[in-house]
Each structure stands twice: as structure tokens, then as C-alpha cells.
């Protein structure tokens, strides 16, 4: 039996959802272990096109059990809306194929509100939050000022707990931000409309996973965002508020004793980044616009145009190291087919010296990209299904990246559809 984590190597949006959707064929259980509804996985399969935010990407495969682990930001409102959306397209979601950890902390109504108020206060110094309440949620979780999903089974105690938290949060809302306070009626409405809907899915997922492991089931851990957005190893403070790394998967899933056998790191054939923060390899002007258009680089959650650039070897090598990736899935290679010459950021120039080490976050703003150009292949490669189907120039591009980042590229994705893949 094998456990596998699918993680992002870069800034997120690498195509993890697409890879989970493909690889779930070999897995019995898919677990989301961190983050919340603040990012989106786009999945295209025979059931249609879906933008998933919280639901694990194994939800489309019959027989696969999907778990929202204790490490996620469990937002009852967003999850219920997403479930309704996906179910409306004919996908079955029941307590048999979706299970929510009773130890997952709940994202409370004021978290979204706090996120918005703080971004507004920061004005031009904003972090570029998706305003889904993720940062306020995780700060409260670590302050022990939120509630666990399992508390829904103790309604009387839960109301007392929520009233205490509300009293505390209202102090910040009214005195710091001059915003309106919450009332217990509002909280009861939230409990009634959203929490009651997700309650049937809440259970002891840790016990389920332990049993699944004992029975030799294959477990897939699905991450959100990427190495460079990891709270501890990313471009702090322009990171997310959770750990996006494979090493966190056992903890955030509810299976702390497990060892992960394979870590598939997803790398895009070029770079994209949503929101604020240093992005050394960024392209601008027409060149950027053309790449953005060809790759359809607009956020799945917000629709924001993504910042784009050539593949960044320095950041990618660091991302591979942070994730301890054992194999790489290189996605969106087909997008580069229009280019005569393909730029690659091979090094950074920092304080007049060339470096291949990813710098400390504060130094990133002074780093400049060193660009090398590769021959383009200038033909449609979306029909490639084997290594030999790829033109020589595309093979050379892939093998160059592989050598530079020090990890085998096992999958090359040439289109968003499930079968648009070359497996080496
Ligand atoms: P995730 O959050 O890492 O799953 O990534 P996103 O879903 O935000 O972004 C990846 C986007 O690229 C989605 O729209 C996918 O459908 C699309 N995609 C994934 N792999 C490929 C590929 O190989 N080629 C093309 N053209 N699109 C791809």
C-alpha cells in the first residue's frame, strides 16, 4: 500500500486539482489537510468543468472517500454552497463519500468580515487576501478562539461557547474597526442555515483513516497553494496562513503516525502568482499579456488576472526541496507552444552576484532574474500521449528543467482534460 501527497511547488495554481483528478484512479481515500476555500482547483472530466474550493478533487470518482481533515479552515457556508453547486451537476455527495473531521475548526461568520476590514485598513499595503477569512481564522485557531466541527453535536455547550467568542470578537469589531457587532440571532441563523447542513458529514475521520490504513487502503493527500505560500517556508508575509507542505499532511489529515511514500510536486511549465508579494521572474507588457491569455491565467476564486513569468528554476528548486518531492508533474506545457523562444529564469542576480539559492524573503525585492532562451517547438502538442509524441525541442525543455531542479519529471500535462497526459 502507498500513501501519496500531491502538492504545489510554486505559488499555487500549478494544476494540482487536475493531477489529483487523474491519480485518484489508484486511490481509495483523498484528504484535504490544510487551507480553506481561498483558492480553487479547476477540474475538467466527463462530468463537466468544476471550480473546487474546499471539496477534495476525488469527489468525482465513485468509491473514493473524500476527507476534510482537522488542519483545514472548515467554512460551513462556503462548503454547503459548493456542495450544492457540484451536486446540481449530477455528482453524488453523501456522508459515505464525504467526511468532515470532528476536529476541524470552524471558520466563523466574523472571520470573513475581519479579513475584509483589515485589508481595507491596510489600503495600499494590503496582502492581497481573497477575503475568505483565512488569516483571521487561523489566528483565532491558534489563540484557541474558534470552535470544532464536533461541537455541533453538543448544541447547548456550543451556544455558550459561541456567545463567549462573540463577546470577545465584538470588542475588536466595534472598538478597533468601528464595525457593527454580531448578535446571537445572527449566529443562530448561521447554525441553522449552514451548520445543520454539514453536520451529517462530521465524524471521527482520524479513526476512519487509521482503519483505512490498517486495511491497506491507498490514501492521497491533496494540498492547496504551493511551497512559496507556505506559512513557514514561503515568501512571508505574502504567504497563506497554513502549511502547504507534504510534511504537514499527516498532522492536518488526522493520521499523525503515517509516513508518506510518494510526494508528487506539481510545477507549471511557466510561472504564475496571484496577489501581492515579490515575484522575481515577473514579465510585463504585451509579452505578459500574451502568456496570460494563452494560459488563461485568471484566478479560479476571484477572476483576478494572475501575474505571469517564465519558469523560475531558483524558486522551483527551492520548492522541490521544501516539499521533499519524489516526482514532478509538469503542467501546461502546451501553453508554451506559441513561443518562438522560450524564456527560463535560471539564476537570480543579487547584490551584483549570480546565485542559484532562493533568498531570504526580505532580499527578494532586490533580486533580478537571469534569463536564458530555449528553442520553441511551434506546433500543437495537446495530442501527445507518449514521450516520443513530443517534439525534440519540448523534450529538451523538460529534461533541462528536470536536471536543474534535481527531481524526475514523471508526468507531463499537455491539456486540462483528464487524459491529456504523458507519463514517463
Ligand atoms: P490548482 O489550484 O493547482 O489545481 O490549479 P488551478 O486549477 O487554479 O489552475 C490550473 C488551471 O490550468 C486549470 O484551469 C486547469 O484546468 C488548467 N490546466 C491544468 N493542467 C493543464 C495543462 O496541462 N494544459 C492546459 N492548457 N491547462 C491545464
Amino acid at each position: 500500500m502507498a500513501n501519496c501527497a500531491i502538492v504545489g511547488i510554486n505559488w499555487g495554481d500549478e494544476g494540482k486539482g487536475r493531477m489529483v483528478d487523474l491519480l485518484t484512479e489508484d486511490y481509495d481515500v483523498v484528504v484535504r489537510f490544510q487551507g480553506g476555500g481561498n483558492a480553487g482547483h479547476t477540474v475538467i472530466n466527463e462530468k463537466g468543468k468544476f471550480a473546487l474550493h474546499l471539496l477534495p478533487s476525488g469527489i468525482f470518482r465513485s468509491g473514493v472517500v473524500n476527507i476534510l481533515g482537522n488542519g483545514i479552515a472548515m467554512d460551513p457556508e462556503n462548503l454547503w454552497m459548493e456542495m450544492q453547486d457540484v451536486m446540481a451537476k449530477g455528482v453524488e455527495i453523501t456522508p459515505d463519500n464525504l467526511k468532515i473531521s470532528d476536529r476541524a475548526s470552524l471558520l466563523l461568520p466574523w472571520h470573513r468580515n475581519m479579513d475584509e476590514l483589515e485589508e481595507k485598513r491596510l489600503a495600499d499595503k494590503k496582502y492581497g487576501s481573497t477575503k475568505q477569512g483565512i488569516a483571521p481564522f487561523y489566528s483565532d485557531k491558534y489563540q484557541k478562539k474558534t470552535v470544532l466541527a464536533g461541537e455541533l453535536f453538543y448544541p447547548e455547550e456550543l451556544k455558550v461557547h459561541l456567545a463567549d467568542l462573540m463577546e470577545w470578537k465584538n470588542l475588536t469589531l466595534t472598538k478597533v474597526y468601528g464595525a457593527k457587532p454580531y448578535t446571537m440571532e445572527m449566529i443562530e441563523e448561521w447554525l441553522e442555515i449552514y451548520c445543520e447542513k454539514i453536520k451529517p458529514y462530521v465524524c471521527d475521520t482520524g479513526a476512519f483513516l487509521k482503519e483505512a490504513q490498517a486495511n491497506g487502503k491507498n490514501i492521497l493527500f491533496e494540498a492547496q497553494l504551493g511551497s512559496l505560500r507556505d506559512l513557514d517556508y514561503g515568501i512571508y508575509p505574502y504567504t497563506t496562513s497554513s502549511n502547504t507542505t507534504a510534511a504537514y499532511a499527516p498532522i492536518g489529515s488526522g493520521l499523525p503516525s503515517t509516513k508518506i511514500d510518494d510526494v508528487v510536486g506539481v510545477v507549471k511549465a511557466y510561472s504564475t502568482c496571484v496577489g501581492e508579494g515579490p515575484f522575481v521572474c515577473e514579465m510585463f507588457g504585451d509579452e505578459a499579456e500574451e502568456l496570460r491569455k494563452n494560459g488563461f491565467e485568471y484566478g479560479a476564486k476571484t477572476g483576478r488576472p494572475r501575474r505571469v513569468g517564465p519558469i523560475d528554476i531558483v524558486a522551483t528548486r527551492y520548492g522541490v526541496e521544501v516539499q521533499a518531492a519524489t516526482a514532478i508533474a509538469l503542467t501546461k506545457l502546451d501553453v508554451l507552444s506559441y513561443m518562438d523562444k522560450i524564456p527560463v529564469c535560471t539564476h537570480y542576480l543579487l547584490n551584483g552576484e549570480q546565485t542559484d539559492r532562493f533568498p531570504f524573503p526580505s532580499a527578494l525585492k532586490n533580486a533580478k532574474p537571469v534569463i536564458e532562451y530555449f528553442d520553441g517547438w511551434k506546433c500543437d502538442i495537446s495530442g501527445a500521449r507518449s514521450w516520443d509524441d513530443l517534439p525534440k525541442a519540448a523534450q529538451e525543455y523538460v529534461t533541462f528543467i528536470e536536471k536543474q531542479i534535481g527531481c524526475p519529471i514523471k508526468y507531463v500535462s499537455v491539456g486540462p482534460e483528464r487524459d491529456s497526459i504523458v507519463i514517463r
Side-chain angles (χ1 to χ4, degrees), residues 12-18 39-44 49 225 266 268 294-297 300 306 330-335 413-416 420:
D13 305 316
E14 299 94 345
K16 295 174 293 296
R18 177 250 184 288
H41 293 318
T42 308
V43 175
I44 302 173
K49 182 174 178 181
L225 297 168
V266 187
K268 205 181 270 189
N294 275 281
F296 198 69
E297 295 298 347
R306 292 176 181 151
L330 186 73
T331 60
K332 301 191 97 164
L333 189 67
D334 55 303
V335 170
S413 174
V414 291
S420 305

Side-chain angles (χ1 to χ4, degrees), residues 18 22 330-335 337 377 379-395 398 410-424:
R18 177 250 184 288
L22 173 77
L330 186 73
T331 60
K332 301 191 97 164
L333 189 67
D334 55 303
V335 170
S337 299
W377 44 91
C379 63
D380 180 9
I381 57 165
S382 59
R385 296 293 177 269
S386 75
W387 180 247
D388 293 338
D389 292 343
L390 289 172
K392 193 156 173 286
Q395 291 180 349
V398 175
K410 186 171 172 196
Y411 307 91
V412 179
S413 174
V414 291
E417 303 80 15
R418 195 180 269 174
D419 65 341
S420 305
I421 195 92
V422 170
I423 302 179
R424 291 170 79 200

Side-chain angles (χ1 to χ4, degrees), residues 27 118 161 172 174 176 203 272 276 305 329 398 412:
Y27 290 85
E118 179 57 12
H161 193 180
T172 316
T174 58
V176 176
C203 63
T272 62
E276 312 298 319
V398 175
V412 179

